[in-house]
Amino acid sequence: MAWVFLTEDRVYKLKKPVVYPHRDCYLLRDREVLCREEVHLNRRLAPEIYLGVVALRLDGQGRLAISDEGEVVDCLVVMKRLPEPLMLDVAVSAGRVSKARVSRVAGMLADFYRGLEPVEVTAASYVDRFKGELDRNREMLVDPQFGLASGAVSPMLDRLARLLEEEPGLLGDRADQGHIVEGHGDLRPEHVCLLEPPAVIDCLEFSRRLRLVDPFDELSFLGLECERLGAAWIGEQMINECAQALENRPSGRLLAFYTAARACLRARLSLAHLLEPAPRKPEKWQPQAREYLALALRACRELG
């Protein structure tokens, strides 16, 4: 959804003029609004990284330039370039993540969530959101063209759907108790930088609905992705420390549901790449979907 240009110490992000069901960037004015929203929102967790928005112009010779003169043809988000070895996914793969660094990230996230005002969301609408996602997941995951509908997938999806019907309070109580906030929306290891202080980038600027989350849903997602990289301990430590700092510890069953639901969503999004007219790395997506489904099945076993 964007082109990213890297220099030695800067990153420039140019949003593509595309239209998706969840986002319309066809007009320049819409891209500019999203650029400014991206900077505003991401400064919550990376205030020193997001430098602002600049105009891309045509100079007198008809060349593209970042300057104060010439016709404006687009706009760019400008960021400081982060050190790749300190990105959490890279550091995990290299075995260079310490408990102390994870603790600092957990502390920053706990402070972030503690400072957010609860968003009014009814229990019914919160549960319905998950029901809708599960329906979309099922449609994709059991599609015969992907060859993933093993004997375990449909029963797992049935179990998640049945939980929402039989125990709506498991999720609904989170909304009723005021635990839904406007969070990050895409809390993955590749968005976490182990700087001092840490920084978290690339929140979902284009959809407030997707940013309305239970903090422990986001933290479960981060834990899921760390587990896929072979570092399940990171998610466990993060959740434990945030629960203590926030004085709010969700049940293990709720965390298991969040993890399974996120894993199914990630499996679906992996397969969705294969529906593109010219998918990049087509050999990647089915194995990746299988990885997520295996993690979803593991989490689902904890539901009892």
Side-chain angles (χ1 to χ4, degrees), residues 60-296:
Q61 286 73 46
R63 297 172 302 187
L64 291 172
I66 298 172
S67 69
D68 295 327
E69 298 181 356
E71 177 191 356
V72 176
V73 295
D74 223 312
C75 54
L76 299 155
V77 171
V78 188
M79 303 167 58
K80 288 182 182 179
R81 185 169 180 176
L82 296 169
E84 187 175 356
L86 291 182
M87 302 310 294
L88 182 55
D89 59 325
V90 176
V92 166
S93 298
R96 295 195 308 267
V97 183
S98 68
K99 291 185 176 181
R101 284 189 181 273
V102 172
S103 187
R104 283 190 279 276
V105 175
M108 179 192 69
L109 288 172
D111 288 343
F112 170 62
Y113 293 128
R114 190 186 297 110
L116 298 175
E117 290 293 327
V119 177
E120 287 192 20
V121 178
T122 67
S125 64
Y126 188 58
V127 173
D128 284 346
R129 192 171 97 185
F130 283 90
K131 288 181 179 179
E133 288 295 334
L134 287 176
D135 288 342
R136 286 187 283 274
N137 292 342
R138 183 187 297 274
E139 183 178 353
M140 183 80 74
L141 297 178
V142 302
D143 190 325
Q145 70 174 306
F146 299 119
L148 297 179
S150 68
V153 173
S154 288
M156 175 190 67
L157 296 172
D158 291 341
R159 177 69 186 96
L160 295 175
R162 191 166 63 250
L163 183 144
L164 293 179
E165 291 294 340
E166 297 176 354
E167 302 178 57
L170 184 68
L171 272 74
D173 287 350
R174 300 297 290 175
D176 282 341
Q177 294 165 8
H179 294 303
I180 309 305
V181 297
E182 186 175 351
H184 182 276
D186 197 19
L187 190 61
R188 291 186 274 156
E190 54 265 44
H191 296 160
V192 177
C193 188
L194 303 174
L195 289 167
E196 298 291 350
V200 179
I201 62 171
D202 279 354
C203 81
L204 287 181
E205 84 283 354
F206 58 84
S207 174
R208 183 174 186 269
R209 185 184 72 84
L210 295 178
R211 294 194 303 273
L212 299 184
V213 293
D214 180 343
F216 288 95
D217 181 10
E218 290 204 313
L219 292 166
S220 296
F221 181 32
L222 181 60
L224 165 73
E225 296 293 345
C226 289
E227 183 177 1
R228 194 171 76 89
L229 294 173
W233 66 270
I234 293 177
E236 294 167 3
Q237 179 180 337
M238 201 85 69
I239 286 172
N240 286 336
E241 293 191 10
C242 284
Q244 183 174 357
L246 296 172
E247 298 181 342
N248 173 239
R249 181 171 294 277
S251 69
R253 295 182 74 241
L254 178 65
L255 296 173
F257 176 86
Y258 280 150
T259 300
R262 287 279 189 169
C264 289
L265 171 60
R266 295 293 288 168
R268 179 185 106 206
L269 295 178
S270 297
L271 295 177
H273 286 281
L274 296 174
L275 300 179
E276 296 173 358
R280 292 175 298 168
K281 300 181 180 179
E283 72 285 352
K284 169 183 176 179
W285 304 115
Q286 281 178 306
Q288 181 169 294
R290 290 191 181 95
E291 287 181 26
Y292 281 117
L293 288 174
L295 292 169

